[in-house]
């Protein structure tokens, strides 16, 4: 009787084992699926507008791309246009297209590392949440050396005004810098809206740190203040 009971138990276990294994597999797949639903896709594109402050105040427009081979660690590249609009107030910057010798416009390339945290969901439906981001990297700034064109009245000949024009050219401008950018992001599905800040030893005026005319140095600076930035951005992950 005892051996018959043991054989019956063993047979039942063999018959039920596939169903138990299937139940475990389904539960594991459900957990993995739920975890994957909370993860952002591995690629992201961002459009950013920021205000840079140092000796000069400028407006920066930046387009970024990031790829995350790991869930929370990736690499990226950014393209930025930085414009201080010269002597004109920023709110009046688009009034005319006259040449302004005090205006500086830089094109910057930002190779970077990119880190992001898991999403902290703010409700049970996971419809929105918060995460932090940090992008340390480099600033490659162009042009390295700027030119400035000046024109002044030389003399008046009757009804004609004769102008004397000359060009100042920079020498030894800096073009490689570091930057650390951080942000707090609100996530809704695959989209992020971020407010952030950054610090960098980049300065928009480094392309005019040694201005020369006919071999004579007219003005310059050995060093400039660091640049602090505040920005807002929209990111789509795909």
């Amino acid at each position: 009787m005892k051996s018959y009971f043991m054989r019956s138990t063993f047979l039942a276990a063999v018959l039920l084992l596939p169903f138990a294994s299937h139940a475990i597999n389904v539960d594991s797949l459900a957990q993995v699926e739920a975890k994957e639903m909370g993860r952002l896709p591995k690629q992201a594109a961002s459009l950013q507008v920021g205000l840079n402050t140092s000796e000069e105040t400028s407006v920066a427009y930046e387009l970024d791309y990031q790829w995350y081979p790991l869930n929370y660690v990736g690499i990226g590249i950014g393209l930025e246009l930085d414009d201080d609009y010269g002597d004109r107030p920023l709110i009046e910057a688009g009034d005319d297209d006259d040449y302004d010798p005090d205006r500086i416009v830089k094109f910057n390339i930002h190779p970077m590392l990119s880190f992001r945290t898991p999403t902290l969901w703010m409700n049970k439906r996971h419809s929105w949440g918060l995460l932090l981001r940090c992008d340390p990297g480099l600033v490659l700034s162009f042009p390295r050396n700027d030119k400035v064109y000046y024109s002044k009245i030389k003399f008046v000949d009757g009804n004609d005004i004769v102008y004397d024009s000359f060009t100042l050219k920079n020498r030894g401008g800096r073009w490689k810098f570091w930057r650390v950018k951080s942000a707090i992001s609100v996530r809704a599905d695959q989209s992020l809206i971020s407010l952030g800040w950054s610090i960098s030893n980049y300065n928009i005026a480094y392309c005019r740190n040694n201005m020369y005319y006919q071999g004579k140095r007219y003005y310059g600076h050995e060093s400039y203040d660091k640049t602090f930035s505040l920005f807002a951005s929209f990111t789509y992950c795909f």
Side-chain angles (χ1 to χ4, degrees), residues 14-193:
V14 170
L15 292 173
L16 292 175
L17 183 60
F19 296 99
S21 176
H22 178 71
I24 293 173
N25 289 338
V26 170
D27 184 59
S28 299
L29 288 173
Q31 292 179 3
V32 170
E33 183 180 6
K35 189 175 182 180
E36 290 291 340
M37 288 178 62
R39 290 177 180 170
L40 285 167
K42 291 185 177 295
Q43 299 183 78
S46 302
L47 180 62
Q48 172 184 310
V49 179
L51 185 68
N52 296 336
T53 59
S54 55
E55 286 90 354
E56 304 285 340
T57 299
S58 60
V59 178
Y61 308 90
E62 185 172 338
L63 182 64
D64 292 343
Y65 168 80
Q66 285 102 8
W67 172 58
Y68 295 87
L70 304 176
N71 290 322
Y72 307 112
V73 181
I75 56 176
I77 189 75
L79 303 176
E80 177 190 42
L81 185 68
D82 191 15
D83 190 341
D84 74 350
Y85 291 100
D87 285 335
R88 286 173 286 182
L90 295 180
I91 58 174
E92 300 176 7
D95 286 352
D96 59 71
D97 296 324
D98 291 342
Y99 177 73
D100 182 355
D102 293 321
R103 184 179 184 180
I104 304 176
V105 180
K106 300 296 293 289
F107 175 70
N108 300 325
I109 302 174
H110 298 280
M112 69 187 83
L113 296 174
S114 188
F115 303 92
R116 61 188 183 188
T117 65
T119 303
L120 175 63
W121 295 109
M122 305 306 291
N123 56 22
K124 293 182 179 180
R125 294 184 297 133
H126 290 190
S127 60
W128 74 283
L130 300 175
L131 65 145
L132 300 177
R133 302 163 65 192
C134 183
D135 300 331
L138 299 176
V139 183
L140 308 179
S141 186
F142 304 95
R144 177 178 180 176
N145 295 301
D146 202 6
K147 297 179 181 180
V148 184
Y149 304 95
Y150 287 100
S151 181
K152 62 181 180 180
I153 296 176
K154 190 173 183 180
F155 61 87
V156 178
D157 183 13
N159 294 326
D160 297 326
I161 300 176
V162 179
Y163 290 91
D164 183 18
S165 299
F166 60 98
T167 302
L168 296 180
K169 298 181 180 181
N170 195 67
R171 298 180 183 177
R174 291 184 59 185
W175 66 284
K176 292 184 292 184
F177 309 91
W178 56 262
R179 182 182 74 166
V180 178
K181 182 172 70 169
S182 303
I184 182 169
S185 302
V186 178
R187 175 184 174 184
D189 194 17
Q190 296 178 203
S191 300
L192 306 174
I193 296 177

